Amino acid sequence: MAAQNTLSENGAKRGKAVLAPVTARGEATRRRILDAAEAVFGEQGYYEASVSEITRRAGVAQGTFYLYFPGKRDIFVELVEDLGKRLRVATSMAIAGATDRLEIERLGYEAFFHFVAAHRRVYSIVQEAERVAPEAAQSYYHHIADGYQRGLEQAMRDGSINILDAEATAYALMGIAHFAALRWLIWPQHESESPEIPSIPPQIFASIMEFIAHGFNPLSSTDHA
Amino acid sequence: MAAQNTLSENGAKRGKAVLAPVTARGEATRRRILDAAEAVFGEQGYYEASVSEITRRAGVAQGTFYLYFPGKRDIFVELVEDLGKRLRVATSMAIAGATDRLEIERLGYEAFFHFVAAHRRVYSIVQEAERVAPEAAQSYYHHIADGYQRGLEQAMRDGSINILDAEATAYALMGIAHFAALRWLIWPQHESESPEIPSIPPQIFASIMEFIAHGFNPLSSTDHA
């Protein structure tokens, strides 16, 4: 993504003139501030985090921060958008080329779990956004759901999966992934300060895939496995 | 639940002597403070909420509050526990007597959606707890998952549902319910100030049940519907 686009998009979205430099160096500074914000919001939460702590970590002056972002809430909202984009890119790359819908789920889930595990406390930023900036949280999920829905509709047209409401199925699949991530990736991190990246136990992952493939159906594992 | 038990439980859990009166009147005051806290945390969020606003709504003196709860975080944690208990009671009552596992899911989901819809902003308290009091949020979900898991294990032993990891299946089912609630009950509330209680559209509910019954399996709706 070109720096020019990013900055003009941001300005346009807020209806404010943001005076950030559109040079490569300006874009690097902007990225450094966003990365620092990700760390600070992730560790301290939105309410405890301060712009001065973000600028301290980014190694920039407070005045520089305000060239790029109008305030704390704005950078928080932008961070949620940024995380959503990075997650969508990671999953799109993971599923590229796959055609079997269950294989697409497997690859997409793997990429999602890897993203969550690798970003540690960052994932809680999106959850906190439900309170702090509900429109950003909803937009984060809507964007993910949109892509999901298109893929599912294609698979329904192909006859490769059961015909269901595509949006309901998209949210169901996002819910399964979210709660598996909470239970097996996020909560264990609270309990230990281990730097090791947690992962979903293989038998849990296999059960989730089998549930997506056949649900409760007791006949399916012998009939169609 | 007897007032005596509630109070001694609370005292024991925190390892603090809470000097709350164990009379019926004391219990009523305690309940009134909890209800006021539910409203204030639900509307303003944990960080914006204050003990003085809670006591103002409950119509009690600040000193009275501290007879029952050591502080803001303590009453927040207790509220999350209280919501979890009320939700578990509501779903247990809804599924009592049902034996078919899919019918149990349908009744449990209905009760859950009704609880979320009726409690409006309250549900966000549990989500906010992930940041404010992660141990309370995890305990809330662990308790729900425990009951779920026992029911699923029974159905697996009966042969009425596919044999999967019961905990993985419990979290998958909780995730589906959570995201359907977000999408069709919680988010529409943000968008409108309508006092009407939202509900899950019937075709969405039906699709979710079909997904739980058969997953993606394209043969199942003709084979085993």
Side-chain angles (χ1 to χ4, degrees):
Chain A
M1 182 190 308
Q4 185 76 52
N5 286 343
T6 310
L7 292 167
S8 52
E9 253 179 42
N10 295 333
K13 234 178 288 170
R14 290 192 203 96
K16 286 181 192 178
V18 175
L19 299 171
V22 293
T23 59
R25 191 172 158 195
E27 184 53 21
T29 305
R30 199 172 163 284
R31 184 73 248 171
R32 204 159 75 241
I33 299 173
L34 266 179
D35 288 344
E38 181 176 310
V40 174
F41 285 128
E43 286 163 27
Q44 305 182 355
Y46 178 78
Y47 291 94
E48 306 283 341
S50 65
V51 168
S52 64
E53 177 61 17
I54 293 169
T55 54
R56 197 188 64 76
R57 296 255 195 129
V60 302
Q62 290 237 140
T64 307
F65 176 95
Y66 291 105
L67 283 178
Y68 294 86
F69 305 99
K72 180 169 113 169
R73 192 176 186 283
D74 303 81
I75 194 172
F76 182 80
V77 166
E78 186 141 344
L79 196 54
V80 172
E81 286 171 10
D82 182 65
L83 283 168
K85 269 183 213 154
R86 282 153 63 197
L87 173 58
R88 296 199 306 276
V89 167
T91 50
S92 297
M93 283 174 61
I95 66 175
T99 50
D100 177 73
R101 187 64 218 181
L102 204 60
E103 184 60 13
I104 290 175
E105 290 307 325
R106 188 190 314 280
L107 296 168
Y109 267 56
E110 268 174 11
F112 171 73
F113 291 142
H114 186 78
F115 184 88
V116 173
H119 287 77
R120 292 256 169 189
R121 299 181 189 173
V122 166
Y123 195 59
S124 63
I125 289 173
V126 179
Q127 292 185 266
E128 196 169 22
E130 289 271 345
R131 163 70 69 186
V132 174
E135 75 290 356
Q138 289 170 38
S139 159
Y140 171 96
Y141 289 121
H142 278 319
H143 272 108
I144 298 173
D146 276 353
Y148 229 131
Q149 213 174 316
R150 280 196 299 275
L152 290 167
E153 279 162 354
Q154 184 59 50
M156 287 175 200
R157 275 195 301 272
D158 292 350
S160 57
I161 68 168
N162 203 348
I163 293 174
L164 300 165
D165 183 281
E167 191 182 10
T169 311
Y171 276 94
L173 290 163
M174 287 157 61
I176 294 170
H178 178 84
F179 266 66
L182 279 183
R183 169 62 186 83
W184 283 283
L185 301 177
I186 303 286
W187 294 341
Q189 292 178 19
H190 290 168
E191 284 150 25
S192 84
E193 288 302 307
S194 150
E196 224 172 280
I197 293 181
S199 65
I200 304 273
Q203 80 279 12
I204 299 295
F205 196 93
S207 258
I208 289 171
M209 285 301 129
E210 172 60 18
F211 180 75
I212 292 171
H214 301 112
F216 277 170
N217 193 342
L219 303 175
S220 56
S221 45
T222 48
D223 281 4
H224 319 293
Chain B
M1 182 192 306
Q4 185 76 52
N5 285 343
T6 310
L7 293 166
S8 53
E9 253 178 40
N10 296 334
K13 234 177 287 169
R14 291 193 203 95
K16 284 182 193 178
V18 176
L19 300 172
V22 294
T23 59
R25 191 172 158 198
E27 184 53 20
T29 305
R30 200 172 161 284
R31 184 74 247 170
R32 205 158 75 240
I33 300 172
L34 266 179
D35 289 344
E38 182 176 309
V40 174
F41 285 129
E43 286 164 27
Q44 306 182 353
Y46 178 78
Y47 291 95
E48 305 283 341
S50 65
V51 167
S52 64
E53 178 59 19
I54 293 169
T55 55
R56 198 189 63 75
R57 296 256 193 129
V60 302
Q62 291 235 141
T64 307
F65 176 95
Y66 292 105
L67 283 177
Y68 294 86
F69 306 99
K72 181 168 112 168
R73 192 177 186 283
D74 303 82
I75 194 171
F76 182 80
V77 166
E78 186 141 343
L79 196 55
V80 172
E81 286 171 12
D82 183 63
L83 283 168
K85 271 183 211 153
R86 282 153 63 196
L87 173 59
R88 296 199 306 278
V89 167
T91 49
S92 297
M93 282 174 61
I95 67 175
T99 50
D100 177 74
R101 188 63 218 180
L102 203 60
E103 184 61 13
I104 290 175
E105 291 308 324
R106 186 189 314 280
L107 295 168
Y109 267 56
E110 269 174 9
F112 171 74
F113 291 142
H114 185 79
F115 184 88
V116 173
H119 287 77
R120 292 254 170 191
R121 299 181 188 174
V122 165
Y123 195 60
S124 63
I125 290 173
V126 179
Q127 292 183 267
E128 197 169 22
E130 290 269 346
R131 163 71 69 186
V132 175
E135 75 290 357
Q138 288 170 39
S139 159
Y140 171 95
Y141 288 121
H142 277 320
H143 271 108
I144 297 173
D146 276 353
Y148 229 132
Q149 213 173 317
R150 280 196 300 274
L152 290 167
E153 280 162 354
Q154 183 61 50
M156 286 175 200
R157 275 194 301 272
D158 291 351
S160 55
I161 69 169
N162 203 348
I163 294 174
L164 300 165
D165 183 281
E167 192 181 8
T169 313
Y171 276 94
L173 290 163
M174 287 158 61
I176 295 171
H178 178 82
F179 266 65
L182 278 183
R183 168 62 187 83
W184 283 282
L185 301 178
I186 302 287
W187 294 342
Q189 292 179 18
H190 290 168
E191 286 151 25
S192 84
E193 287 302 309
S194 150
E196 224 171 281
I197 293 180
S199 65
I200 305 273
Q203 80 280 12
I204 299 296
F205 195 93
S207 259
I208 290 171
M209 286 300 129
E210 173 59 18
F211 181 74
I212 293 171
H214 301 112
F216 277 170
N217 193 342
L219 302 175
S220 56
S221 45
T222 47
D223 281 5
H224 320 292

